[in-house]
Amino acid sequence: MKTILILAALLTLPYLTFSQKVDGHISEKGENGQSTPVVGANLYWLGTTLGTTTNETGYFAINRPKGAELLVISFVGYQTDTLLVPSTQTRIMHTLQSSVDIEGVVVAGRAAGTHFDRVNPVQTQIITRNELERAACCNLSESFETNASVDVSYSDAVTGAKQIQLLGLAGTYSQIQVENIPALRGLASTFGLGYIPGSWMESIQVSKGTASVANGYESIAGQINVEYKKPWEDEVFFVNGYANSLGMAEFNTNFRMSVSPKVSTMVLAHVENMSFENDHNHDTFLNHPLVKQYHLLNRWKYDGNSFESQVGIRLLDEDRSAGQLAHENIINPFGIDIQTRQYEGFGKAGYIFDRPNTSLGLIASASMHDQQSVFGQSLYTGRQQSLYSNLVFITYIGRTNHTIKTGVSFTYDDYSESLNNLSFDRIESTPGAYLEYTYKWLEDFSLMAGARVDRHNMFGTLFTPRLHMRYQPIEQLNLRASVGKGYRSPSVIAENMYLLASSRNMVFLEDIGIEEAWNFGINITQKYMLWFRELTINTDFYRTSFANQLIVDMDRDPTNVYFYNLDGESYSNSLQAEVSYSPFHRFDFSVAYRWNDVRTTINGELQEKPLVSQYKGFFTTSYQTESKWQLDYTLHLNGGGRLPNTNHLPEELYRGESFPSFITMNAQVSKTIDRWDVYIGVENLTGYTQKNPIISSENPYSPFFDASMVWGPLTGRKFYIGFRYAINRQ
């Protein structure tokens, strides 16, 4: 560790001189008059080799060589522009022309709401704000309705907690970050998807397989990074209201202001209320919990010539009640009450040196998660205090196409957990260091190889190697391959809190070790011109093979759940193909199919993992009229799978060996009127629901009560209505 720090310091010393940085945003004006970011636009100073590209928000930052004043901006399908940038100018806001007039012929384009990053060696799908608005996106768990790669389902039939799956694996195996800061870890993993409001999000990046070693040793199945709205580029004022037929309503607002030419700030607020009691299947249990949530975020940005920084605070307060309805025939109802408080402070700082592609950055955060909860007669309390820091230094060797990223990180988690009279207190601290090399040959080939070493106070030394490659033999074809290792320290009680909504006893057969797995993947992205329009076919295959895994055994008997380490084989194979096409103007569609083969050794037998669909079919389409009406429709075909063993239950409670396939449909109609967007829609159009999701619901204190075997929708047809209003929307 000392050696790495000394080397980083020596590399830094030669570049501690002042330079001028030029940054800004590149966008294009759509047909409705709104500006949308251009991702991957190329910029370089005329007469030099110094260049850069715009990121997923259209933002760029580039050093200015001495005497350079002409900046060239280009992107496929747009006019190439050369801008005169005087030495006194440091910020550029430029709009590319998406249509070209040649003797009366007009060529126009409409940006897709979801697209694949064409230059990143890591397979990454970017979900933009336009895509998020295609469905009623109340929070992160509902942001993947129009995405074929990420599955979302309920973890149990009473608490309303949702979980995601990527590559057929639970969401805990996907690293979730908010602007490259780890989020929804440990105690926040159960209900955390509901802690990120949809209207706050600017974009989501979904990566399959292991990610960059700079982000840590996790991300076994993939990585999901959420970008919030920015105080220097988004609406001056925004407000959103939403209500649905179940009685749930929410209100969101954000506003920004420039305090000075270099300082800007933004405040985001979210209020959510669900107060209607719904019991559609008449089993005396609420189909949805009663929720009150208040959420506030304030962030500040300082933007200097060579130094920039951000700081912010976030506060969350949520009360959640669920369980049996009060009824005169129920003497002791099974009630669930969960109170959650979150506090977070974060900061970022970056310095750009007087050398191309050379910078030093620091990301740091401190957070506290506190939960007090009651599940029937069980009492669970938990508090997690966390610190995170990541120091990153980026430079190049020889030429700018040989990039080095190195740094040190530190993660600290203080857990205070208790379940009834059992304590699960622990402290986890992990210092680490990493080195990553990236080679680029024009836009045809890129290789990213990295490794990191972490020292975990409970599990010892963790070595994490990773390799990603991208090859573009022709302009229309992208080939990717990846291999890497990942680790994960499980929070057994918090991550399996849905089991508290049952009478099962938790039995620990041994001390649980750290989870460890290898991930291998290949990806082919092919583009064709079909009837003068671009058709994209994206195919990928990923295999995850576990060396150790936490086994949650619900098959051995119906009154207990057993926790132990993997003793045998465990793997996940996931094959997916997706086709996207726009057959005519303003009309887009995507169709996809995924096959999952997920098997784990449970109780000495390699068998199909329960509650995982064997396949997934997907279709989504969108049409926008010239009068600014938009119609959206999405269909999900969810394949069947295995259920946990219920052979030992009484005959009237037996649930069979598998669950069937089923279809869900969502639709939405929206209209843009000046600064207003008004939308109305329906979820689960066919009204399909899982029958009797709760075992022994009539007697929740019996040894057979279980609300954790959920595989399908719990609510029938749900209608919603909402609006968005924005001033100075970019």
Side-chain angles (χ1 to χ4, degrees), residues 555 598-610 642:
D555 289 279
V598 186
R599 297 183 182 273
T600 305
T601 301
I602 301 176
N603 196 21
E605 179 184 353
L606 180 64
Q607 53 187 310
E608 182 183 340
K609 191 170 184 178
R642 186 176 79 85

Side-chain angles (χ1 to χ4, degrees), residues 438-715:
T438 301
Y439 169 74
K440 294 182 180 179
W441 181 60
L442 301 176
E443 292 189 1
D444 298 338
F445 178 78
S446 56
L447 179 146
M448 186 173 74
R452 64 178 296 130
V453 178
D454 296 270
R455 182 68 181 179
H456 197 286
N457 65 312
M458 294 173 57
F459 304 114
T461 301
L462 309 176
F463 177 66
T464 310
R466 292 174 181 176
L467 175 67
H468 299 268
M469 292 184 294
R470 182 190 72 90
Y471 178 51
Q472 185 176 331
I474 57 175
E475 184 178 353
Q476 296 80 17
L477 179 64
N478 256 309
L479 308 175
R480 289 181 175 88
S482 66
V483 59
K485 197 174 189 180
Y487 299 88
R488 199 184 74 86
S489 175
S491 295
V492 180
I493 303 299
E495 294 170 1
N496 297 278
M497 199 176 300
Y498 64 93
L499 294 172
L500 298 181
S502 72
S503 295
R504 291 178 181 263
N505 299 309
M506 294 188 175
V507 181
F508 293 83
L509 299 183
E510 57 185 328
D511 292 335
I512 303 302
I514 193 167
E515 296 187 281
E516 177 183 351
W518 284 90
N519 183 282
F520 311 85
I522 56 174
N523 165 251
I524 303 173
T525 303
Q526 177 73 59
K527 297 181 181 296
Y528 299 93
M529 293 304 296
L530 181 63
W531 294 312
F532 305 103
R533 295 184 180 274
E534 188 175 82
L535 180 144
T536 302
I537 301 177
N538 188 79
T539 307
D540 57 60
F541 173 79
Y542 285 87
R543 177 180 175 87
T544 308
S545 181
F546 285 88
N548 186 50
Q549 186 180 22
L550 167 66
I551 302 301
V552 182
D553 185 353
M554 299 174 63
D555 289 279
R556 194 170 300 191
D557 73 68
T559 59
N560 296 307
V561 55
Y562 297 89
F563 299 95
Y564 49 88
N565 296 307
L566 174 67
D567 183 14
E569 190 178 5
S570 179
Y571 62 83
S572 166
N573 294 322
S574 180
L575 174 65
Q576 178 173 312
E578 182 175 0
V579 179
S580 301
Y581 185 54
S582 177
F584 54 86
H585 197 35
R586 300 191 186 93
F587 178 78
D588 306 305
F589 77 85
S590 294
V591 60
Y593 181 84
R594 183 176 68 252
W595 166 77
N596 291 325
D597 178 24
V598 186
R599 297 183 182 273
T600 305
T601 301
I602 301 176
N603 196 21
E605 179 184 353
L606 180 64
Q607 53 187 310
E608 182 183 340
K609 191 170 184 178
L611 301 175
V612 176
S613 294
Q614 297 173 342
Y615 58 90
K616 172 72 175 286
F618 172 83
F619 174 78
T620 185
T621 184
S622 177
Y623 176 65
Q624 186 181 79
T625 69
E626 292 185 3
S627 56
K628 298 183 180 180
W629 285 92
Q630 183 163 323
L631 311 176
D632 295 285
Y633 170 81
T634 303
L635 179 147
H636 295 268
L637 169 62
N638 301 272
R642 186 176 79 85
L643 285 172
N645 184 14
T646 58
N647 290 334
H648 303 295
L649 291 175
E651 184 177 353
E652 64 274 12
L653 301 178
Y654 178 66
R655 288 296 190 265
E657 297 182 354
S658 62
F659 61 89
S661 61
F662 60 94
I663 290 175
T664 59
M665 303 179 191
N666 302 329
Q668 177 179 286
V669 179
S670 57
K671 169 69 172 176
T672 299
I673 308 172
D674 295 327
R675 295 173 174 171
W676 292 85
D677 286 339
V678 182
Y679 56 91
I680 185 171
V682 57
E683 296 180 9
N684 195 7
L685 183 61
T686 61
Y688 181 87
T689 58
Q690 178 181 342
K691 298 292 189 295
N692 302 319
I694 302 176
I695 298 176
S696 189
S697 61
E698 68 284 354
N699 189 5
Y701 293 103
S702 75
F704 306 120
F705 170 70
D706 194 346
S708 65
M709 291 194 187
V710 174
W711 48 264
L714 301 175
T715 304

Side-chain angles (χ1 to χ4, degrees), residues 256-267:
R256 67 172 173 92
M257 62 179 295
S258 296
V259 180
S260 72
K262 294 185 177 181
V263 178
S264 56
T265 185
M266 172 175 274
V267 176

Side-chain angles (χ1 to χ4, degrees), residues 212-214 392-395 403-407 434-438:
S212 167
V213 293
V392 187
F393 177 68
I394 302 174
T395 188
T403 304
I404 293 292
K405 178 187 291 186
T406 185
Y434 56 88
L435 178 66
E436 187 173 79
Y437 165 75
T438 301

